[in-house]
Amino acid sequence: MNSASQLAIPSLIDNERLGAFQWRVLALCFVIALFDGFDTQAIAFTGPAILAAFNLPAGSLAPILTAGIVGMTIGAMTLGMVGDRIGRRPTIMLSLAIFGAATLATAWSTDTNHILVLRFIAGIGMGGCTPVLLALAAEYGPARYRGAIMTGVLLGLPAGAMLGGLLAARMLPVIGWEGIFVVGGVAPLAMLVVLALLLPESLYYRATRGDAQGQRYIAGVLSKIVSRPLPGDARFTVPESASARASVRALFADGNAGKTVAIWAIYLLNWVAWFMLLSWLPTVLKAAGLPAAQAPMGTVIVNAVFIVCAIPLSFVLPRVNTRRLLLVMFAVGIAVALGLSLAGQNWTLVFALAGLAGFGVGGQQIALNYLIAGAYPTALRATATGWSIGMGRTGAILGSAIGGSFLAWGGPQGFFLALAVPLAGAAIAVLSLRLSPSPANAALAAAH
């Protein structure tokens, strides 16, 4: 085999337009994320009904919400490694089977301990699905569209949450909380049949196996993507990383310690607020006097605005000062939290402010990735992003756990006042940051 027959898979894909085969892969990834988002928020939609069914106080929901987030954290850490060993496609299907089966089984739970265990198991599948799904979608798209592709697939999560909220608002009085879990379990399990027929394996994974069968598989898939004929003797490769893996210690060396602590604090506190809001909003609205059938609409509106904001943000962020934008977002989030604490039963105002929370509490999820790019050199960005998201997941666990305590302590008004505290802490952490302009921003400044 001579060097002329070596063809790099990324280069072949990058030189092509997005074709029908790739759109099919991306559509499948989006639908999987849609089911993931639906199941992630299912307990929030059904929480008030579950509490009523088992005659429990609001605080009893906290362990169930926390169990799901803990499961998601473990799933993200473990199933990603499984994907490297057995392939992206079977790992995605395994994740889907886990959270689909556990969600379906939840419908037959006879006490909240059963629900807690099943939500933990479902969380493992949901948490493991997302990173593997994003890796597969990114591989099948040209580099110039990769950011838009990953944002588009990720939007399946809030879109699924929004769909679940609409279903709960309309169907909860008819099919009960059990019916929501039946829908959330049956749909992903049925999707497994579609994936078995239509979802391809990661070309990167097949190339790293180095076997002849894998090479034939890659050639067959690339023939559906690449417009020019491929040499019959071609051997398809993927580039290996030229740099050694960065260490966590490096995040605290060479003057990085201060900004690392600040960025970890921003992630931690923002995710506390975001998951506190997402997990508890239907229960809080019901406690404030909104009929149980309408309570899920608050989450629907939050996720709808988040989706609407995410698309323009993905285009605007490379062109603006991320630190200043985050300060504006946190200021809006604090104002929203204070406004909700005073809104009482003015439901028009409540829903308007809840929608604004999609930008002022949730929009930071999009912006924080750009903050990393401006804070660290290229060699440290992957490590910095991974550990920052780890801090965020810790915040998600805390936010899901403590929301019920604040609701029990101060009612809806106390809950929303408490929501402003982590947002204010995150804003202070942003103010403490001193960053050099990112390369993209510096280039734009020079051009003007």
Side-chain angles (χ1 to χ4, degrees), residues 264-277:
W264 285 7
I266 296 166
Y267 269 85
L268 176 76
L269 295 169
N270 180 232
W271 286 46
V272 166
W274 182 230
F275 275 80
M276 184 174 161
L277 180 70

Side-chain angles (χ1 to χ4, degrees), residues 63-428:
I64 298 173
L65 292 167
T66 304
I69 303 297
V70 172
M72 290 175 68
T73 304
I74 294 173
M77 295 169 62
T78 57
L79 289 181
M81 293 185 289
V82 171
D84 289 335
R85 289 181 176 272
I86 69 172
R88 307 278 187 263
R89 180 178 182 269
T91 303
I92 289 171
M93 295 179 69
L94 174 64
S95 300
L96 204 63
I98 290 172
F99 77 72
T103 299
L104 180 60
T106 304
W108 282 273
S109 297
T110 55
D111 63 52
T112 52
N113 288 327
H114 293 162
I115 297 176
L116 185 148
V117 171
L118 289 168
R119 290 312 293 170
F120 172 76
I121 295 171
I124 292 174
M126 291 183 289
C129 191
T130 303
V132 183
L133 195 67
L134 288 174
L136 185 69
E139 289 176 18
Y140 273 95
R144 61 188 179 278
Y145 299 135
R146 200 152 292 151
I149 286 170
M150 295 181 73
T151 299
V153 172
L154 274 175
L155 287 180
L157 298 173
M162 187 173 69
L163 181 65
L166 289 171
L167 177 68
R170 293 289 184 90
M171 298 302 295
L172 195 59
V174 179
I175 63 177
W177 66 268
E178 300 95 337
I180 302 299
F181 286 102
V182 170
V183 174
V186 169
L189 293 176
M191 185 68 182
L192 287 172
V193 179
V194 178
L195 298 183
L197 296 172
L198 299 178
L199 187 69
E201 177 56 283
S202 159
L203 300 182
Y204 289 22
Y205 171 78
R206 294 306 296 260
T208 58
R209 311 309 289 177
D211 60 303
Q213 183 181 1
Q215 289 292 314
R216 289 193 295 271
Y217 179 88
I218 295 168
V221 172
L222 286 176
S223 67
K224 302 173 185 178
I225 298 173
V226 179
S227 56
R228 62 183 176 85
L230 297 170
D233 65 342
R235 182 166 186 81
F236 302 100
T237 63
V238 290
E240 295 184 5
S241 176
S243 59
R245 182 175 298 176
S247 66
V248 178
R249 182 180 299 177
L251 298 179
F252 294 89
D254 300 324
N256 290 325
K259 62 187 172 188
T260 295
V261 171
I263 288 172
W264 285 7
I266 296 166
Y267 269 85
L268 176 76
L269 295 169
N270 180 232
W271 286 46
V272 166
W274 182 230
F275 275 80
M276 184 174 161
L277 180 70
L278 285 182
S279 299
W280 288 97
L281 186 58
T283 303
V284 173
L285 293 179
K286 182 177 181 295
L290 190 68
Q294 297 177 29
M297 289 304 297
T299 304
V300 171
I301 293 171
V302 171
N303 282 288
V305 174
F306 175 81
I307 292 170
V308 170
C309 290
I311 297 171
L313 274 175
S314 65
F315 291 101
V316 169
L317 277 164
R319 297 171 170 81
V320 300
N321 185 303
T322 309
R323 180 173 172 273
R324 292 177 185 172
L325 179 61
L326 280 169
L327 285 173
V328 171
M329 286 178 164
F330 283 121
V332 170
I334 293 167
V336 165
L338 296 177
L340 286 168
S341 73
L342 300 172
Q345 293 187 343
N346 184 341
W347 301 122
T348 301
L349 178 59
V350 167
F351 284 124
L353 290 170
L356 196 55
F359 171 79
V361 183
Q364 292 90 328
Q365 307 293 311
I366 304 295
L368 284 172
N369 291 330
Y370 287 85
L371 188 69
I372 297 286
Y376 297 96
T378 303
L380 282 178
R381 283 176 194 164
T383 301
T385 300
W387 278 80
S388 296
I389 289 175
M391 292 298 113
R393 289 195 179 277
T394 303
I397 293 169
L398 289 173
S400 299
I402 65 177
S405 299
F406 287 117
L407 179 59
W409 162 70
Q413 184 178 32
F415 175 89
F416 289 122
L417 286 173
L419 183 67
V421 175
L423 293 170
I428 292 170

